[in-house]
Amino acid sequence: CGAKDIEKHMKINKLKIDSFGKLKDTEITLDDGITVIQGKNEAGKSTVGAFIKYMLYGMPKSRRSLGENEKKLYTPWDGNTV
């Protein structure tokens, strides 16, 4: 079994969100298998997805309008920094 045969995996067990968008002091434990994030409208489901994306790939550079600027869109509502 050579180095090429080794599969690399990452497993996220828990999300700890201090302050991101509307989420503050939020902790989500992820079980084995597929995890479904569900909730009512405006509950923060898309914000959780954005949090994961930004933790893995970083925040995009600024753009002009708020709709195009996700960094401004997910700035913590309480004034903290991401």
Side-chain angles (χ1 to χ4, degrees):
C1 182
K4 292 180 183 179
D5 299 325
I6 297 173
E7 292 186 40
K8 296 180 181 181
H9 300 278
M10 178 187 343
K11 180 179 178 189
I12 300 172
N13 296 311
K14 184 188 302 185
L15 302 174
K16 185 175 183 301
I17 305 170
D18 294 328
S19 191
F20 186 84
K22 73 181 299 176
L23 303 175
K24 183 169 177 55
D25 299 323
T26 302
E27 195 166 294
I28 301 170
T29 301
L30 305 171
D31 296 324
D32 288 338
I34 297 173
T35 300
V36 175
I37 307 286
Q38 65 179 15
K40 295 182 179 186
N41 288 343
E42 300 299 319
K45 302 176 298 293
S46 296
T47 304
V48 170
F51 175 79
I52 294 169
K53 181 173 91 173
Y54 297 144
M55 292 303 103
L56 294 175
Y57 302 107
M59 284 288 220
K61 295 187 179 198
S62 295
R63 295 188 183 150
R64 293 182 182 194
S65 72
L66 179 60
E68 294 177 347
N69 188 341
E70 291 180 332
K71 186 172 183 177
K72 288 182 183 175
L73 183 64
Y74 292 111
T75 296
W77 291 9
D78 62 3
N80 285 334
T81 58
V82 174

